[in-house]
């Protein structure tokens, strides 16, 4: 089987890393896989950029800027990312068909990369991972809980629009026409939450929708001596460490920095510091109660597990979240996680077993959760079960467990593996059917 994984980037950002990890997993199992990206950051020869011409790369970046122009007419819009994908002068589809794969596996494909109406020109069956909500909405990457995608969008909360026939409705209808022309399309939700959202979307009626979480290497993300990790990053060894990290952690309101900082300032734990990963120290004073250290964005996969191991607790305060890599990776390193009880968080966090699920957007409850993990619970068992939750495969298969049967296409061009939930054994597993 020849699989083509398509993504805007190979290792820049969580969605890109998820796609790249899957690509490497397939290669390790002798499945022919190739990755096609708009922007290549790694030196992996199995990853193919659309072009290596500096002029064409510049045009690609210009296309991303032009793609965002229609959104700028909505002056009151929120900071939630909103992609239109209306431009038509990318040759991505031609390149896909030239490679001639058996399966085209789409991941995060925004930024002016592909015009959505051209997807029906792809000759191979399409599998599409919903790394966020963009494939199932009228172009917002997270809907801020408006649920307009269940109908036809319009009156967009993200755009702060009061018109039903706004840009979100226009793009939704454009998507609907395009999707209806695709003969074989399977939707993958990497969390149970987003799979459920996809099933409610007016764009995916009668489509196959499955829940298959992202994979990663549990031999890499594992417990490491915390003193060694702290020395490497210059973090005090005699303190309890609260870790918060995400891409654009301080610039994207959805990441929940405001809610976290409110929780931090409500704590009364001694000998504690906060570490913010994915951000350099800002110019402004954050006015936090605890001494704060910063770790700049890390692209080297080897350093990531060392970073997690500086922590005693990982905080994921996102206001909307699919299934964050940071949750999976932290737990795999034996670090308990505190997060709001939203989205896909409960797929992996079991309340007071390997972390704490705080009431939605309740900073006081998040503070209570941090205090409980650091002082109130049996930390040794919390850490032990965090790792066990991952190693038992209760929400996904690790990269080492992928087999050729995990990606099979029958003669009708349909995927013949999917995730089911076994209520008697309380675990998710891949089962073949049909």
């Amino acid at each position: 089987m020849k699989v083509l994984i398509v993504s805007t980037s190979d290792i820049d950002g969580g969605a890109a890393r998820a796609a790249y990890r899957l690509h490497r997993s397939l290669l390790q199992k002798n499945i022919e896989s190739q990755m096609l990206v708009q922007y290549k950051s790694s030196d992996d020869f199995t990853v193919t950029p659309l072009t290596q011409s500096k002029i064409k790369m510049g045009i690609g970046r210009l296309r991303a800027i032009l793609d965002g122009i229609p959104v700028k007419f909505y002056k009151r819009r929120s900071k939630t990312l909103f992609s239109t994908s209306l431009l038509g002068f990318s040759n991505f589809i031609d390149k896909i068909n030239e490679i001639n794969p058996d399966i085209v596996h789409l991941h995060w494909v925004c930024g002016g990369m592909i015009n959505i109406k051209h997807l029906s020109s792809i000759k191979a069956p399409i599998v599409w991972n919903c790394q966020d909500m963009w494939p199932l909405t009228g172009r917002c990457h997270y809907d801020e809980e408006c649920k307009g995608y269940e109908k036809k969008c319009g009156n967009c909360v993200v755009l702060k629009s009061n018109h039903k026939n706004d840009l979100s409705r226009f793009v939704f209808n454009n998507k609907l026409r395009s999707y209806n022309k695709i003969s074989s399309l399977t939707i993958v939700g990497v969390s149970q939450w987003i799979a459920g959202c996809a099933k409610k979307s007016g764009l995916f009626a009668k489509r196959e929708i499955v829940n298959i979480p992202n994979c990663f290497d549990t031999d890499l993300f594992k417990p490491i001596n915390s003193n060694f990790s702290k020395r490497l990053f210059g973090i005090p060894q005699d303190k309890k460490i609260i870790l918060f990290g995400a891409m654009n952690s301080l610039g994207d309101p959805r990441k929940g920095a405001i809610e976290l900082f409110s929780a931090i300032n409500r704590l009364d734990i001694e000998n504690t510091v906060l570490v913010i990963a994915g951000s350099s120290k800002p110019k402004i004073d954050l006015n936090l109660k605890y001494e704060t250290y910063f770790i700049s964005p890390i692209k080297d996969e080897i350093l990531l597990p060392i970073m997690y191991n500086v922590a005693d607790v990982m905080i994921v305060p996102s206001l909307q979240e699919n299934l964050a890599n940071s949750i999976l990776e932290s737990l795999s390193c034996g670090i308990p996680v505190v997060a709001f009880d939203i989205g896909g968080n409960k797929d992996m966090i079991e309340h007071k077993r390997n972390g704490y699920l705080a009431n939605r957007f309740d900073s006081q409850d998040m503070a209570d959760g941090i205090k409980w993990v650091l002082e109130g619970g049996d930390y040794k068992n919390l850490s032990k079960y965090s790792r066990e939750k991952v190693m038992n495969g209760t929400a996904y298969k690790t990269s080492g467990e992928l087999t050729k049967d995990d990606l099979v296409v029958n003669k009708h061009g349909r995927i013949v593996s999917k995730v089911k939930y076994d209520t008697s054994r309380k675990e998710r597993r891949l089962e073949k059917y049909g």
Side-chain angles (χ1 to χ4, degrees), residues 131-377:
Q131 299 291 357
D132 58 25
M133 300 182 76
W134 185 81
L136 57 101
T137 70
R139 295 309 201 256
C140 61
H141 289 256
Y142 283 93
D143 72 336
E144 300 184 12
E145 301 191 330
C146 82
K147 301 187 184 302
Y149 64 87
E150 295 182 6
K151 297 179 181 179
K152 293 184 177 181
C153 286
N155 299 110
C156 180
V157 170
V158 173
L159 295 177
K160 298 293 189 293
S161 166
N162 296 319
H163 302 285
K164 66 178 182 180
N165 292 316
D166 59 13
L167 182 61
S168 71
R169 172 70 64 86
F170 173 79
V171 178
F172 186 96
N173 289 335
N174 187 49
K175 269 188 173 182
L176 184 60
R177 288 190 296 269
S178 302
Y179 289 178
N180 287 340
K181 295 177 182 178
I182 301 174
S183 59
S184 178
L185 174 63
T186 300
I187 304 301
V188 178
V190 301
S191 69
Q192 294 184 72
W193 167 73
I194 207 163
C197 292
K199 290 176 182 178
K200 296 176 182 178
S201 173
L203 295 172
F204 292 141
K206 300 180 181 179
R207 293 294 187 181
E208 182 77 20
I209 299 171
V210 299
N211 167 221
I212 305 177
N214 293 324
C215 65
F216 67 100
D217 188 352
T218 55
D219 289 332
L220 176 62
F221 289 89
K222 62 183 179 182
I224 300 171
N225 182 276
S226 62
N227 286 334
F228 165 78
S229 300
K230 291 174 182 177
R231 284 198 302 270
L232 185 65
F233 286 103
I235 307 298
Q237 297 183 34
D238 58 345
K239 305 285 187 179
K240 295 177 181 177
I241 308 299
I242 300 170
L243 178 63
F244 164 55
M247 186 175 179
N248 195 19
S249 54
L250 299 182
D252 184 351
R254 183 181 62 83
K255 299 298 184 181
I258 292 175
E259 286 72 17
L260 171 61
F261 296 161
S262 176
I264 292 295
N265 286 335
R266 296 167 188 259
L267 289 172
D268 58 353
I269 306 174
E270 296 182 352
N271 298 318
T272 300
V273 300
L274 172 67
V275 175
I276 298 177
S279 174
S280 299
K281 185 176 181 178
K283 291 183 179 180
I284 62 172
D285 186 353
L286 298 178
N287 294 316
L288 295 174
K289 184 176 181 179
Y290 294 94
E291 185 178 7
T292 304
Y293 292 77
F294 295 85
I295 298 176
S296 298
I298 294 174
K299 290 188 177 181
D300 189 339
E301 189 97 330
I302 301 299
L303 284 176
L304 280 175
I306 302 176
M307 180 200 74
Y308 286 115
N309 277 278
V310 307
D312 294 289
V313 61
M314 177 72 184
I315 314 300
V316 182
S318 303
L319 306 184
Q320 274 194 299
E321 191 61 74
N322 191 358
L323 182 55
N325 289 339
S326 56
I327 292 178
L328 299 173
E329 294 162 357
S330 297
L331 294 177
S332 189
C333 291
I335 309 301
V337 180
V338 175
F340 290 126
D341 188 5
I342 53 94
N345 291 347
K346 65 178 64 177
D347 282 16
M348 282 303 293
I349 302 172
E350 292 187 31
H351 187 58
K352 292 192 173 182
R353 289 206 66 192
N354 62 354
Y356 191 99
L357 288 170
N359 295 328
R360 293 161 58 89
F361 321 137
D362 185 339
S363 293
Q364 180 60 60
D365 197 30
M366 175 159 282
D368 293 343
I370 296 170
K371 187 175 179 65
W372 182 84
V373 169
L374 294 180
E375 294 188 339

Side-chain angles (χ1 to χ4, degrees), residues 361-393:
F361 321 137
D362 185 339
S363 293
Q364 180 60 60
D365 197 30
M366 175 159 282
D368 293 343
I370 296 170
K371 187 175 179 65
W372 182 84
V373 169
L374 294 180
E375 294 188 339
D378 183 344
Y379 188 84
K380 184 177 180 180
N381 280 331
L382 274 175
S383 177
K384 180 182 177 182
Y385 187 69
S386 296
R387 175 73 174 172
E388 287 179 354
K389 175 74 173 182
V390 172
M391 296 306 295
N392 289 338

